[in-house]
Amino acid sequence: MAVQQIDIKEPLLKRIGSLADEGGIRTFVVGGYVRDLLLGKTVTDIDIVAVGNGMEFGKSVARMMGRSNLVLFENFGTAMLQLEDEAGMPGLKLEFVGARKESYNKSSRKPLVEVGTLEDDLARRDFTVNAIAVSLNAADFGTVIDPFHGQGALEERVLRTPLDPGVTFDDDPLRIMRAFRFASQLDFVIAPSVFQAAQSMGERLKIVSQERISDEFLKILSSPKPSVGLKLMFDAGVIKVVFPEVALLAGVDQRRDYHHKDVFLHTLKVLDNISEGTTNVWLRMAALLHDIAKPKTKAFKEGIGWTFHGHEELGARMVKPIFRRMKLPLEHVGYVEKLVRLHLRPMALVDGEVTDSAVRRLLFDAGEDIDDLMTLCRSDITSKNPRLVEQVRTNYDLVVQKMQEVEEKDHWRTWQPPVKGEEIMAVCGLQPSKMVGILKSAITEAILDGVIPNEHDAALEYLLSVKEDVMGGAP
Ligand code: ATP
Ligand code: MG
C-alpha cells in the first residue's frame, strides 16, 4: 500500500529540515535512502535534494554541524559530508544536490544541467523506485512525493523508468547497467519495455566511462546471486559490450560429465556457489574468470572429445589485460591470477593419488590463499546429477583433511627453506646473486619432493652435496 507519510527516525534529518526552513529552501531525501527505508533496510548513504543550490545548502549544513570535511564536486554541483559513528568509524554519508533538469548533449556527452523543480529532478532519475522523495521541511516533514508511483513498483519488485525507457537510457546509458545491478542486488524484475530498451540500446554503453561501468559490474558481482545480473546482461546482449571474454564462454561445450554443458552456465553456477560462502568480490572475480581461456584452448581429440589443455595458465595470463581494460584495481591481479592458475590442482588430487609431496607442493604454491583456492574448487563441482556432486565433494573433503594434516605438521603456507640466503652465500662463497636463488630452489624442490626432510642439517648437507653440480652447470 502506498503511504503518504514516512516516519523518519534520523534526528539529523529534522535538523537539516529546520535549517532549510530558515533559508526558505525546500529540501527532500530521495533515491536509495527512501527506497531502502521502504524495503525495511538500514541505510547509511543519504541523498538530499535542495530546490536551489545543492552545494551551498551542503555548506550551510556543514557549518551548522561545525564540520570542516565537506567535499565539493564542482563539476557535478554536488557536495558530500562523511560523518562518523560513536566508535569513530564511517557512519552516515550525506550527499547534497540541487534539483535539476538534465539532458545530455549528444555530441559532447557532457550533461547539460539546469536548475529544475523537484518533479524535474525525479523525472531524470534512473528508476521509479529511486524517484520517491520525502520532505524534510517542518511544515510537511515526512510527506511522500511519489509522482511516478515508485511505491507500487517497490511492492511489485519491478524496475520501471520514470520516463519512456528509451529516453531514460539515451540520457545516460549507464542506467542500462544499473538496471541489471538493481535487479541482481534487490532481486527485482526489469519491466519488459525497459528490458527491450536495454537490449536495443546496449551498444551505447560504449560512450560511458569504464570506471562507471566497472563500478556497477562489481556491484553485480557483489550481489547475493550474481548470476541474476550476468544472465540479464547476457540476454540483453550487453555482456559482449562490457565483458567480451565472458560472452565467449557461452556455447563452449565441456567434456567432463560432472560439468554443465555450457561454460557460461557452468561459470554462473560456480559464481553462485561461491557467493553463498564469501563476500570477497575478488574471489568471486576468480570464480568468474576460472575457465575464461576455455574458448581459446578448445580442441577436439579423437576418442576423448573436447579438451582445454592449458586453459588455467592461459586464463591466468588473461587476468591482467582484463583488469587493465576494465580499470579494476591492479593490486588484486596477482591474487586472481594465482587462483585461476591453480584452480585445477586440488581436483587433480581428488582424482589421483593423494601423495604427501603433491599436497605439500600445492600448499607451497598457494601459500596464504590456499583456503580461497579450496573454496573456489569446491564451488567448481557442478552437475545436474546431485549424487555425482555429493560423491565428488566427499572425495574432495578427504583431500582437505589430508591438507590440514600436512599443513599442521610443517606450516607450508608460510614456509621458508630451513637454510637461509646468508648461509648459502657463506657456505658457497657467493655474493648476493641469482645463483643464491637457484640453490635455494634446489633445496626447496628436494624438500617438497620428500628427497630430504624439512630440517636444517639435512638441507645443509644436501646443499653441500649438490652445490658443485648446480653451480658448475650454470651458464
Ligand atoms: P546504492 O547506494 O545502494 O548503490 P542508490 O540508489 O543510492 O543505491 P546511488 O548510485 O547512490 O544509488 O545514487 C543515488 C540516487 O541517485 C539513485 O537512487 C538515483 O535516484 C540517482 N541516480 C544515481 N545515478 C543515476 C544515474 N546514472 N541516472 C539517474 N539517476 C541516478
Ligand atoms: Mg546511494
Side-chain angles (χ1 to χ4, degrees):
M1 257 279 292
V3 295
Q4 256 72 64
Q5 198 72 24
I6 291 184
D7 181 19
I8 293 190
K9 301 225 165 52
E10 182 51 54
L12 178 59
L13 290 176
K14 209 158 227 165
R15 279 174 70 200
I16 289 175
S18 306
L19 183 73
D21 284 338
E22 285 168 26
I25 298 166
R26 290 287 282 143
T27 189
F28 307 86
V29 278
V30 285
Y33 181 76
V34 178
R35 178 196 71 220
D36 288 348
L37 208 64
L38 289 166
L39 288 173
K41 300 187 187 177
T42 48
V43 215
T44 53
D45 290 12
I46 309 185
D47 299 297
I48 296 170
V49 168
V51 181
N53 188 322
M55 285 199 296
E56 286 306 319
F57 186 61
K59 284 185 200 168
S60 42
V61 171
R63 220 175 297 127
M64 168 184 82
M65 299 179 69
R67 310 276 316 196
S68 56
N69 64 326
L70 185 79
V71 182
L72 297 175
F73 300 97
E74 305 271 353
N75 288 348
F76 301 98
T78 63
M80 193 266 282
L81 186 62
Q82 176 71 60
L83 307 176
E84 298 82 35
D85 63 13
E86 293 96 55
M89 299 303 283
L92 294 181
K93 192 169 105 188
L94 308 179
E95 296 243 13
F96 300 92
V97 62
R100 51 195 170 177
K101 270 200 257 228
E102 184 180 31
S103 66
Y104 274 71
N105 179 334
K106 301 285 173 326
S107 54
S108 82
R109 286 194 259 150
K110 284 254 156 58
L112 299 169
V113 181
E114 289 170 52
V115 173
T117 63
L118 176 71
E119 280 70 20
D120 291 332
D121 187 277
L122 296 177
R124 55 158 281 279
R125 287 180 180 265
D126 47 7
F127 303 105
T128 63
V129 294
N130 291 340
I132 310 169
V134 180
S135 173
L136 297 180
N137 295 91
D140 59 352
F141 186 83
T143 297
V144 177
I145 296 106
D146 184 12
F148 300 103
H149 313 291
Q151 293 180 84
L154 266 183
E155 252 166 58
E156 288 175 59
R157 306 181 78 79
V158 58
L159 295 165
R160 295 195 187 95
T161 49
L163 306 176
D164 178 89
V167 173
T168 295
F169 288 160
D170 196 44
D171 278 348
D172 178 6
L174 181 74
R175 294 166 186 169
I176 296 170
M177 280 298 285
R178 286 174 66 86
F180 306 140
R181 187 260 276 200
F182 285 118
S184 209
Q185 214 173 35
L186 303 171
D187 195 20
F188 275 29
V189 299
I190 299 177
S193 62
V194 174
F195 184 79
Q196 275 158 24
Q199 207 166 21
S200 65
M201 298 174 70
E203 290 277 324
R204 282 189 46 86
L205 274 163
K206 287 184 176 150
I207 70 159
V208 176
S209 81
Q210 186 60 52
E211 288 85 348
R212 298 179 75 211
I213 292 176
S214 291
D215 236 34
E216 296 298 332
F217 187 78
L218 288 182
K219 285 183 179 170
I220 291 176
L221 217 50
S222 306
S223 64
K225 204 173 162 204
S227 66
V228 173
L230 280 154
K231 236 188 225 134
L232 284 165
M233 284 177 72
F234 181 81
D235 291 343
V238 163
I239 205 151
K240 62 179 189 291
V241 181
V242 170
F243 215 142
E245 296 87 350
V246 172
L248 286 175
L249 298 177
V252 177
D253 285 339
Q254 299 258 23
R255 177 172 64 104
R256 293 256 182 95
D257 43 0
Y258 59 79
H259 270 159
H260 284 304
K261 274 256 152 96
D262 177 293
V263 182
F264 179 65
L265 293 179
H266 162 71
T267 296
L268 292 187
K269 186 80 188 99
V270 176
L271 188 53
D272 284 347
N273 283 348
I274 213 162
S275 300
E276 283 174 19
T278 181
T279 54
N280 175 355
V281 74
W282 306 113
L283 180 51
R284 291 176 176 204
M285 182 65 90
L288 179 67
L289 297 182
H290 78 285
D291 279 345
I292 201 69
K294 277 204 165 165
K296 284 195 183 175
T297 53
K298 184 178 170 179
F300 193 79
K301 292 264 161 63
E302 215 47 64
I304 297 176
W306 291 106
T307 64
F308 305 92
H309 281 308
H311 77 272
E312 67 281 18
E313 181 54 39
L314 189 63
R317 290 190 208 153
M318 288 169 71
V319 172
K320 196 165 187 179
I322 288 173
F323 268 61
R324 276 196 200 286
R325 186 194 69 235
M326 295 187 75
K327 299 210 161 71
L328 297 169
L330 296 180
E331 67 201 86
H332 302 291
V333 165
Y335 168 83
V336 176
E337 267 174 3
K338 188 200 254 184
L339 293 178
V340 173
R341 176 170 289 124
L342 298 179
H343 82 268
L344 293 177
R345 294 270 298 275
M347 261 309 152
L349 291 181
V350 173
D351 289 345
E353 193 195 342
V354 196
T355 62
D356 273 20
S357 132
V359 172
R360 275 198 295 268
R361 234 168 228 292
L362 182 57
L363 284 166
F364 177 71
D365 290 341
E368 298 182 320
D369 301 317
I370 186 68
D371 293 336
D372 289 353
L373 178 65
M374 297 311 280
T375 305
L376 173 59
C377 285
R378 199 168 207 281
S379 308
D380 197 9
I381 306 167
T382 67
S383 165
K384 291 221 166 74
N385 177 348
R387 285 233 317 275
L388 212 50
V389 170
E390 225 23 72
Q391 189 193 323
V392 181
R393 286 204 176 138
T394 306
N395 295 347
Y396 168 95
D397 289 339
L398 288 175
V399 173
V400 172
Q401 201 184 328
K402 175 90 180 173
M403 288 183 97
Q404 273 159 1
E405 287 163 20
V406 175
E407 169 63 20
E408 264 164 37
K409 204 163 115 247
D410 285 315
H411 307 290
W412 294 100
R413 59 173 89 193
T414 51
W415 182 83
Q416 291 289 328
V419 178
K420 303 272 173 294
E422 294 79 42
E423 194 173 358
I424 296 175
M425 288 191 279
V427 169
C428 302
L430 287 169
Q431 296 295 314
S433 60
K434 224 171 125 186
M435 184 49 72
V436 182
I438 294 174
L439 288 164
K440 207 178 202 176
S441 304
I443 298 171
T444 303
E445 290 298 309
I447 294 175
L448 290 175
D449 281 343
V451 175
I452 53 169
N454 178 25
E455 289 158 9
H456 171 268
D457 292 358
L460 183 60
E461 196 182 313
Y462 178 78
L463 172 67
L464 293 172
S465 74
V466 299
K467 78 177 169 62
E468 300 299 323
D469 270 0
V470 175
M471 288 165 69

